[in-house]
Amino acid sequence: MSWRPQYRSSKFRNVYGKVANREHCFDGIPITKNVHDNHFCAVNARFLAIVTESAGGGSFLVIPLEQTGRIEPNYPKVCGHQGNVLDIKWNPFIDNIIASCSEDTSVRIWEIPEGGLKRNMTEALLELHGHSRRVGLVEWHPTTNNILFSAGYDYKVLIWNLDVGEPVKMIDCHTDVILCMSFNTDGSLLTTTCKDKKLRVIEPRSGRVLQEANCKNHRVNRVVFLGNMKRLLTTGVSRWNTRQIALWDQEDLSMPLIEEEIDGLSGLLFPFYDADTHMLYLAGKGDGNIRYYEISTEKPYLSYLMEFRSPAPQKGLGVMPKHGLDVSACEVFRFYKLVTLKGLIEPISMIVPRRSDSYQEDIYPMTPGTEPALTPDEWLGGINRGTTFPLPIPLLELPFHPALRAFPLPSLDPVLMSLKEGYKKSSKMVFKAPIKEKKSVVVNGIDLLENVPPRTENELLRMFFRQQDEIRRLKEELSQKDIRIRQLQLELKNLRNSPKNC
């Protein structure tokens, strides 16, 4: 029998990457040299944000997308953090709200004015303190407005309700630093990778670990949910120190469905998944290429399509949301590549070649839009928009599912939109910062506001001397009370020994 190459028909078989012209790039940006494994870049339909090098604290740039070309060295920055900024993420429902986290142990919420910054911004809308060590990751909930997740080097994941400006839940099932967080489509499940070499699927509202995999042979670094396929894809390193990807069933993490070695390079592999086209993109830190695959529910599950190549190494990649793509050019994905050596941000469009100029409905299905499906109180209560239950469902009243070892919650489907008619519509939602009063914030028995650590060396010294003064004052007060107690004891003894008055 003669050998024949495997052929698989696909509408995305000829997808190619197109680099923007130099005048449409962002040049002259001092991209951060921090070695933290993150993208240091976030993009939405209006703004591009990049973490930059700065002295005396952390800062990042926010540039309107139409303001391409060379950026002036004195361009205004967001510079309110006291430590290096480690992660930034745009609010998926409000275009001018961005969250940042830093080595100063804080998470901050910023409101970018219309048209971009005119001067340096130092005051945040909200300052969220609750972690005891630096915060490395922030993620917005995909279907609920004003719910933010943060993961710190204290091995904790905090869930913040920004309507009240406080943490409402602490997930403390991890035993080491959390490397990555990813949500499924409706936001009812959270998956994490950790330095303890474990992959976890968590129900975020209860903090219950539904599934756990001990990945000793495949040391996981990054994970991403594959839409509604009930699959997870992880990138990591094999026992032979080769870069590797693995596909998992989210309901059974005992063994991966497939494992595939990529190459022998050392840079971290970042996975990006497009649920609309079922395409997976793999980009290595320090690489110049981007591989892309098509995912299917049947074997072989993963089909290689092509590879975009570039000589310039990438430090990180920002991804444009679907409603910001150019559908007239059949653009299905867009990266913003950080080239540190050149101080350059380079847009890369992934395009499906089509001859027709009309709207291509087969490559642009209904996609999650800019309207949230739920309010924070609804999501925290466990209810679904349009559910038949008139009141919030307490977690303990839900039927126990023995196969999942958890209490299943109703599906929280995102609000979908068509890119044909509504992709240029902007959200009308406005973020209102809560008025915070000084009070205790107790999560899992720990008062987070009373246990906020010093964020700089000067704060540490001030706190130390303040505590020494307090200890000295208390010792003096204690000695004075001891003297007073002895005096009272002597007076009492004298009263007892004195003759009674008749």
Side-chain angles (χ1 to χ4, degrees), residues 454-484:
R455 298 188 292 275
T456 64
E457 187 175 350
N458 288 335
E459 287 186 11
L460 180 63
L461 288 173
R462 284 198 296 270
M463 182 175 287
F464 171 75
F465 290 124
R466 192 161 57 244
Q467 288 177 345
Q468 292 297 311
D469 292 340
E470 182 72 10
I471 290 171
R472 193 179 301 110
R473 185 186 64 81
L474 290 173
K475 282 183 177 179
E476 291 175 357
E477 186 176 340
L478 185 60
S479 63
Q480 291 175 359
K481 288 186 177 180
D482 285 340
I483 295 172
R484 179 60 178 161

Side-chain angles (χ1 to χ4, degrees), residues 380-394:
L380 292 169
I383 64 169
N384 178 25
R385 187 188 61 151
T387 181
T388 56
F389 297 94
L391 296 174
I393 310 166

Side-chain angles (χ1 to χ4, degrees), residues 308-327:
F308 166 81
R309 295 186 179 182
S310 169
Q314 58 223 6
K315 183 179 181 66
L317 292 164
V319 174
M320 172 65 73
K322 276 288 182 174
H323 59 273
L325 299 179
D326 184 3
V327 296

Side-chain angles (χ1 to χ4, degrees), residues 324-337:
L325 299 179
D326 184 3
V327 296
S328 63
C330 296
E331 183 184 30
V332 292
F333 216 73
R334 189 192 303 166
F335 293 102
Y336 284 78
K337 175 179 174 178

